[in-house]
Amino acid sequence: MQNENYFDRLKQKRKEDIPLEIKGQIEDIIFQNEINGYTICTLQTEEDEVITAVGYLPFMHSGDTVKLVGKYVTHQEYGEQFKIDTFEKILPETLEGLEKYLASGIVKGIGASTAHKIIETFGEETISIFKLHPEKLSTIKGISKKKATEMAIEFNEKWELWQIVGFLERFGVSSSNSKKVYDKLGKNAIEEIEKNPYILLDIAYGVDFKQIDKIAMGLGIENNHPKRIESAIKYALILITYNGHTCVIKENLMQFVMELIHVTKEEIEDKIIDLKVKKEIVVEQRDDVEWIYLYPFYKAEKNVAEKILQLQHCKNTKQIKNIDMELKKQEKEFKIELSDEQKEAIHLVNSDNVCIITGGPGTGKTTIIKNMIELYQQKGMKVVLCAPTGRAAKRMTEQTGVEAKTIHRLLEIGKLQEESQLETVDYDVSPVNADVIIIDEMSMVDIFIMNYIMKGIFLGTKVVFVGDSNQLPSVGPGSVLKDLIESEKIKTIQLNKIFRQAAQSDIIVTAHNVNNGKSFTKKEEKQKKDFFYIKESNPERILNQVISLSNGRLKNYGEYDFFKNIQILTPTKKGMLGTKELNKRLQEVLNPQNNGKKEKKYGDIIFREDDRVMQVKNNYDIYWEKQEETGSGVFNGELGYIKKIDDENKQVKVEFDDEKEAWYTYAELEQLEHAYSITIHKSQRK
């Protein structure tokens, strides 16, 4: 009867999507990521139910007894699973469980037979024997005194490891990061962290300095302790990278650190010198101003500069002879007439190993790329195309007819960007076999991605950077394209001529006018075709204008359907005109609750069938289908719409703009946001 009541309660909790706490013993490890501890395993619960559990369980082995907190979810392919939120490893509470734990191979030298003998001999005293009297293990046939000592040491070390995992939770270090800390510091991790809590800032990505500082002060660390000041300096340098910078003026850095931890300027100056000596930071003098970098950011910039110069000074072995004659053939064959600027750009690519082609919309960059592909392929050379995002690569493929890859896929750097940037500057990438590499949308490329690109290019390869330097800089640190142009070390052609077809677009003409400092509002102008400026200063009226345009006015004007042709951009997330409020209001108008559409409330967001949504973090593991193609991975910035909400299996199907479909469990909805309106920076990731 007790078990029946238990299962009744369990079914009710599953139905209500309520967090559960379960205890059990791991039967089998199906999959475990050695880097971050992500695990899929089967678990036999206290009630003898066998379930599949998924989540971060670093250092876990078959036979371990655990207490898990999480929710049941239904995977489209693998069925019901228990998704782990938090966990705790506990000693087996029965002799049967302890025997299974020892027999799992957790301790070297103990197999099923030896585990049975140990339990049979010592019974309830087994754990005490391992901890306090390991010599008694040698009374069992086949276990020498030396072997007994080794077994006890390993048993206790494994248990100490779990004390470390629990200890790290106080510092806000996630279970996925705890393995990284243990791998760095070993069994003395607690002792090392208590001596210097700030060491976590160098090991675990994303930890909060203020939280660690508070605990450190509680442990008795002095206000002007050298490690505290050094960590505050490095923390400040990490903060500036979140705003896209790779370095900061020394005086500004010192002022920030003084206000952060209330120490003197002289004390900070001393620690800057010490960090410089230890090569953790670099101080560079430019025009009588001192700039400070974290070492990896300086190293990345230095790597890029040196490799570009090496590529530039190589012998130009890919040069096409009689290029003018080849261009005339192309113009005749494809019935096109290249402008003088376009011909100059192609001449530049031919004469130099490294060059930049930049220009605003409608200036013929795509035509140049297509002609370059044709020219070099006709000469038997391999041309490789790539771009920073999936959307940009797809557009490049559609425009040129040649497959373009994302930079990450081309270099096979996978999940690298999820790791700490401070440790990946020297990461090896897959080299690119190409005679000519064309990289589009270069304004989106940050300094670390640029560093990886340079590492993957063989000397002698031609490299063509294409982009618009007037676009927003990359989301990551560095403004690579703009800085390369301003350095004047690489030959650059600026395309200014707007072609006839593009000139018919008021959007393109207006964009160029703005870049040239001209006004885009003139009362005497005739009515524009595809660009309108509506002047409003009242937020409520602006909001009403946006809703009105989205809900009928633009459709009546030019058959623009919101879900196919319209995207709202705004600079901010907050406020009446931020993405949160705009998405809420636009959903009410454009996709109201009617016609039996299903919905799921997640936090303060209501997801509804037919909602436009965006993926807001990289998920390398999520499974997707696309016609007869399957794969895994949906990435930050990808747009789609909710095709189906399945309450019975607690999951949501999303179809993305490239037609792939993926199922999200309710617990994974944190990865999605409404996308009726998105921020301007998010639009860069499309």
Side-chain angles (χ1 to χ4, degrees), residues 530-570:
D530 60 6
F531 176 86
F532 306 93
Y533 174 67
I534 301 172
K535 187 174 181 179
E536 287 284 5
S537 57
N538 180 280
E540 184 67 45
R541 287 200 295 269
I542 295 172
L543 179 60
N544 290 333
Q545 287 275 18
V546 170
I547 292 171
S548 174
L549 287 163
S550 304
N551 191 32
R553 281 169 63 190
L554 286 172
K555 186 171 181 63
N556 292 335
Y557 173 76
E559 284 299 317
Y560 295 111
D561 179 83
F562 183 88
F563 291 94
K564 294 179 181 177
N565 314 109
I566 300 172
Q567 179 64 64
I568 311 296
L569 302 181
T570 183

Side-chain angles (χ1 to χ4, degrees), residues 539-548 550 562 567-591 612 674-680:
E540 184 67 45
R541 287 200 295 269
I542 295 172
L543 179 60
N544 290 333
Q545 287 275 18
V546 170
I547 292 171
S548 174
S550 304
F562 183 88
Q567 179 64 64
I568 311 296
L569 302 181
T570 183
T572 181
K573 289 183 176 182
K574 298 178 180 179
M576 183 180 290
L577 300 175
T579 55
K580 290 186 177 180
E581 185 62 26
L582 278 169
N583 277 320
K584 184 178 176 182
R585 294 288 296 273
L586 286 164
Q587 184 198 39
E588 291 172 355
V589 173
L590 299 169
N591 191 26
R612 176 183 278 179
H674 282 134
Y676 296 92
S677 170
I678 61 176
T679 62
I680 293 167

Side-chain angles (χ1 to χ4, degrees), residues 591-612:
N591 191 26
Q593 185 181 26
N594 59 17
N595 299 328
K597 289 182 182 178
K598 292 182 180 178
E599 57 184 43
K600 167 62 182 172
K601 192 172 190 296
Y602 186 85
D604 58 353
I605 298 175
I606 295 174
F607 288 107
R608 188 172 294 138
E609 288 175 340
D610 292 333
D611 272 344
R612 176 183 278 179

Side-chain angles (χ1 to χ4, degrees), residues 440-457:
D440 200 9
E441 299 289 4
M442 268 297 297
S443 62
M444 298 184 193
V445 173
D446 65 36
I447 189 61
F448 281 95
I449 298 299
M450 185 65 171
N451 180 45
Y452 304 140
I453 292 170
M454 291 294 103
K455 280 178 173 290
I457 295 177

Side-chain angles (χ1 to χ4, degrees), residues 217-419:
M217 301 298 277
L219 291 171
I221 299 287
E222 295 178 355
N223 189 65
N224 63 347
H225 193 285
K227 294 293 183 186
R228 182 172 187 253
I229 300 172
E230 288 181 359
S231 294
I233 293 168
K234 289 189 283 186
Y235 170 69
L237 289 169
I238 289 170
L239 278 185
I240 63 111
T241 69
Y242 295 161
N243 290 323
H245 306 296
T246 58
C247 58
V248 64
I249 294 172
K250 181 180 176 181
E251 287 300 316
N252 294 347
L253 173 70
M254 294 177 72
Q255 185 63 39
F256 177 86
V257 175
M258 281 192 291
E259 293 174 4
L260 178 67
I261 59 173
H262 307 293
V263 293
T264 67
K265 191 172 183 179
E266 290 72 26
E267 288 170 326
I268 299 170
E269 184 81 61
D270 287 343
K271 293 304 111 190
I272 287 175
I273 293 170
D274 290 347
L275 287 169
K276 182 180 176 183
V277 170
K278 290 187 285 186
K279 292 189 175 180
E280 292 187 48
I281 66 170
V282 174
V283 181
E284 187 177 64
Q285 185 95 14
R286 296 202 302 266
D287 300 327
D288 298 324
V289 176
E290 286 185 297
W291 294 84
I292 298 184
Y293 293 79
L294 281 166
Y295 177 76
F297 290 81
Y298 178 80
K299 180 76 179 296
E301 286 196 356
K302 190 170 184 289
N303 287 349
V304 168
E306 289 177 348
K307 185 62 177 280
I308 283 178
L309 291 175
Q310 288 174 353
L311 288 164
Q312 200 174 34
H313 294 140
C314 279
K315 186 177 179 180
N316 187 356
T317 59
K318 318 296 182 189
Q319 190 170 21
I320 296 173
K321 296 179 180 179
N322 301 318
I323 187 72
D324 287 319
M325 185 176 70
E326 297 293 340
L327 284 175
K328 285 180 181 177
K329 286 181 186 176
Q330 273 199 346
E331 287 181 309
K332 185 177 180 180
E333 182 179 351
F334 298 110
K335 296 178 181 179
I336 59 170
E337 184 178 347
L338 297 171
S339 70
D340 290 340
E341 279 186 348
Q342 289 175 321
K343 289 178 182 177
E344 185 183 349
I346 294 170
H347 273 282
L348 180 60
V349 173
N350 193 49
S351 63
D352 285 67
N353 286 329
V354 185
C355 66
I356 298 170
I357 300 172
T358 183
T363 54
K365 297 190 294 293
T366 300
T367 300
I368 293 170
I369 293 173
K370 288 169 73 174
N371 276 269
M372 285 193 295
I373 293 169
E374 189 67 27
L375 279 169
Y376 287 100
Q377 284 184 340
Q378 281 183 354
K379 300 299 178 182
M381 288 185 247
K382 184 177 181 181
V383 181
V384 169
L385 311 182
C386 65
T389 67
R391 180 64 66 85
K394 181 184 177 185
R395 188 167 57 246
M396 199 178 187
T397 300
E398 291 170 346
Q399 291 174 337
T400 63
V402 176
E403 183 190 10
K405 295 182 179 180
T406 63
I407 293 168
H408 277 71
R409 184 180 163 204
L410 179 68
L411 301 176
E412 298 181 3
I413 53 180
K415 300 186 182 184
L416 181 61
Q417 63 188 31
E418 301 298 303
E419 303 295 330

